[in-house]
Amino acid sequence: MENVTLHVEGMSCGHCVKSIEGSVGELTGVQNVAVDLENGKVSVQFDSASVSLNKIKETIDDQGYDVKE
């Protein structure tokens, strides 16, 4: 398992949290998703053999948020 914390801009409310946790959490290989709304961070635990980090970033981006490096 890999753990990564992404800086995500554009999150402002509980709906944002549910949107990201729901969409990323549905990806095959994602074990856990935790959104830190106050600090603009999303922590993801995932199996890199099943899902790529780029796919996770793309999924967050598709929800309307900006993933920063």
Side-chain angles (χ1 to χ4, degrees):
M1 283 293 166
E2 288 192 43
N3 292 299
V4 67
T5 300
L6 304 169
H7 178 74
V8 180
E9 293 183 349
M11 301 184 301
S12 61
C13 63
H15 172 74
C16 301
V17 173
K18 287 181 181 178
S19 176
I20 291 174
E21 288 182 349
S23 61
V24 174
E26 289 178 356
L27 294 172
T28 300
V30 172
Q31 189 76 25
N32 187 42
V33 184
V35 174
D36 179 351
L37 193 60
E38 188 175 312
N39 294 307
K41 305 233 183 268
V42 177
S43 298
V44 184
Q45 183 180 26
F46 66 101
D47 179 1
S48 59
S50 298
V51 65
S52 69
L53 180 56
N54 280 341
K55 179 64 177 171
I56 293 168
K57 290 178 179 179
E58 183 180 293
T59 300
I60 294 171
D61 189 58
D62 287 348
Q63 295 298 312
Y65 307 102
D66 295 321
V67 180
K68 302 296 180 186
E69 293 300 321

